[in-house]
Amino acid sequence: MRKYSVRAGLLATVLFGVTLVGPHAYAERDDRPPPPPRQPAPQPRQPAPPPPPSEILIPGGTFIMGSEEFDSEKPAHQATVATFVLDRTEVTVAAYNGCVNAGRCTQRTSVDLPGITEDVRTKASAYCNGGKDGRSNHPMNCVDWNDATAFCSWAGKRLPTETEWEYAARGAEGRKYPWGYSEPADQLCWKRSNGTCSVGSFPSGNTPQGLVDMAGNVWEWTASNYCPYPSKSCTNAALVYRGGSWSNDNAPYVRGALRSDYEPGFRSYLLGFRCAR
């Protein structure tokens, strides 16, 4: 009988990965856990898609907010804003009707201001755009702060803060008016007695980024409480609105730094809104 060679067995182990016990060979058991699955290589981060034409991207930055012109704007102070997106135009009657038809917004066709008589209410409500023919591309007015908030929420957006609004209107350079520093003339919907204009009717008054009607047409609700500068929070229930309106005929009242306030339930024919996100 042929003798088993230990040397030959060792060689077989090296060459074939087996362990020989006596004259028989068995496969060597590997108790090591299997290697973890390979993770896919990280993909390069894709840039965010640009906003649709109905919105304008406002890159974040720092600017001097307020002015020394009116007491409510003092003191001028440094403010920083993160990048955000703002509606190119004020919310139109047609857009607002979409929210009404969806059951998320209330149709508004009348003003609601404190201390006015029913006769004054009726006359003032004639300037409300809601429910009127031929006004689909005019800004939706006669809405209170809650109406504006409800629409923006329905649209997947929100009201801009006061700081965002002023930064969008004035830019990092602190323009006096949305279009620049020249005094207002035919750059905006103002000095009128018969109501609003169709949005975007005055392109020479656009901001450099392309926002329209940031001065004139209708004042615009913001998300911010009316607090003394430079505070951003206070117990005042009144909310800030910005921008001037179609009835203004005095240049200081269409400046980008001007601020005013209403209680959230007030509805005026001079007041509308636009949304941010």
Side-chain angles (χ1 to χ4, degrees), residues 89-110:
T89 74
E90 293 155 339
V91 171
T92 63
V93 171
Y96 190 82
N97 284 344
C99 184
V100 172
N101 294 337
R104 295 283 299 276
C105 291
T106 302
Q107 183 61 276
R108 298 298 190 188
T109 59
S110 64

Side-chain angles (χ1 to χ4, degrees), residues 139-162:
M140 183 64 191
N141 58 359
C142 302
V143 288
D144 64 27
W145 186 85
N146 297 298
D147 295 326
T149 300
F151 175 90
C152 291
S153 177
W154 171 75
K157 304 179 187 181
R158 57 176 175 79
L159 286 175
T161 66
E162 178 183 21

Side-chain angles (χ1 to χ4, degrees), residues 66-118:
S67 79
E68 300 302 316
E69 187 149 348
F70 289 171
D71 286 344
S72 63
E73 302 163 18
K74 298 176 183 178
H77 57 284
Q78 183 173 287
T80 300
V81 179
T83 297
F84 66 104
V85 171
L86 190 62
D87 285 351
R88 189 177 70 87
T89 74
E90 293 155 339
V91 171
T92 63
V93 171
Y96 190 82
N97 284 344
C99 184
V100 172
N101 294 337
R104 295 283 299 276
C105 291
T106 302
Q107 183 61 276
R108 298 298 190 188
T109 59
S110 64
V111 302
D112 188 6
L113 298 170
I116 62 173
T117 65
E118 195 58 39

Side-chain angles (χ1 to χ4, degrees), residues 85-227:
V85 171
L86 190 62
D87 285 351
R88 189 177 70 87
T89 74
E90 293 155 339
V91 171
T92 63
V93 171
Y96 190 82
N97 284 344
C99 184
V100 172
N101 294 337
R104 295 283 299 276
C105 291
T106 302
Q107 183 61 276
R108 298 298 190 188
T109 59
S110 64
V111 302
D112 188 6
L113 298 170
I116 62 173
T117 65
E118 195 58 39
D119 182 59
V120 170
R121 185 192 311 276
T122 299
K123 291 178 179 178
S125 297
Y127 297 104
C128 294
N129 291 328
K132 290 187 172 61
D133 294 334
R135 297 297 179 95
S136 62
N137 201 43
H138 283 239
M140 183 64 191
N141 58 359
C142 302
V143 288
D144 64 27
W145 186 85
N146 297 298
D147 295 326
T149 300
F151 175 90
C152 291
S153 177
W154 171 75
K157 304 179 187 181
R158 57 176 175 79
L159 286 175
T161 66
E162 178 183 21
T163 306
E164 288 173 333
W165 194 100
E166 184 171 331
Y167 181 67
R170 302 183 66 198
E173 66 271 32
R175 298 181 300 270
K176 186 174 183 179
Y177 302 103
W179 56 85
Y181 299 91
S182 60
E183 291 300 297
D186 58 356
Q187 304 99 325
L188 69 164
C189 178
W190 73 325
K191 296 185 177 182
R192 289 168 62 86
S193 59
N194 58 343
T196 60
C197 304
S198 182
V199 299
S201 296
F202 299 88
S204 63
N206 292 1
T207 69
Q209 291 88 359
L211 296 167
V212 310
D213 297 328
M214 292 292 282
N217 221 357
V218 290
W219 295 90
E220 300 178 15
W221 286 112
T222 75
S224 300
N225 295 91
Y226 188 78
C227 303

